Amino acid sequence: MSTTFLQNKETIALDIGASKEQDLSPYFYRVIAICPDTRECLEISSVTLCPYAVFSQKASLFLGVKQSTQGLFYQGLKEKKDHPDDSQIPALTLKEIIHDWVYQEEDISERSIACIRCDVGGSEEHFLEDLFYFAYFNRCSLLVSFYPDRWEK
């Protein structure tokens, strides 16, 4: 996916579910990589790692194997541990991440968020309303990958 049309070196991007394969950092002043499994995230100077998951409320979740409505297995967030290999991860709301992680950093506190990219394999169901609300009222571009076959509701 090309994001060059979004390029703005004076602004910030949020990358929810960030991975090493898709780097937004050349296009923005700073990227906040929101990724509970930081081994999967980029480690470069223009990327700030936020080691939380985004959820509808502040919670302690588990990352592990889930099954889609089509019977396919995938790695995802769940509220209850149901396998010994599930790992516990903290989750915050989008609002908490924006205020506690983005705007608490002096270097970027005066810059606007121009883009939010979200690819979390089905967990987007829990905070879609928050994403659209923020994007609408802050005139922010929103790039969301949807996985409705993995949604719980």
Side-chain angles (χ1 to χ4, degrees), residues 2 7 9 15-16 31 43 80 86 106 130 133 141 144:
S2 175
Q7 183 170 348
K9 293 296 279 182
D15 196 356
I16 304 170
V31 174
E43 294 184 24
K80 293 183 179 163
D86 291 349
E106 190 174 324
D130 295 340
Y133 181 90
S141 296
V144 182

Side-chain angles (χ1 to χ4, degrees), residues 41-119:
C41 295
L42 291 168
E43 294 184 24
I44 55 179
S45 62
S46 61
V47 175
T48 299
L49 297 178
C50 177
Y52 291 93
V54 181
F55 200 62
S56 56
Q57 62 190 8
K58 187 174 185 176
S60 183
L61 301 175
F62 296 92
L63 185 62
V65 176
K66 294 178 76 173
Q67 189 172 10
S68 73
T69 56
Q70 297 174 336
L72 302 173
F73 291 94
Y74 65 97
Q75 185 86 349
L77 291 176
K78 40 191 172 176
E79 295 184 64
K80 293 183 179 163
K81 183 174 183 165
D82 60 7
H83 191 275
D85 291 337
D86 291 349
S87 56
Q88 189 171 11
I89 57 167
L92 298 174
T93 65
L94 182 65
K95 184 177 180 179
E96 288 173 312
I97 287 175
I98 289 169
H99 291 282
D100 297 346
W101 276 84
V102 179
Y103 292 127
Q104 291 302 315
E105 204 172 316
E106 190 174 324
D107 183 37
I108 60 174
S109 63
E110 298 298 319
R111 297 177 186 271
S112 65
I113 297 172
C115 176
I116 299 176
R117 181 172 65 185
C118 177
D119 188 352

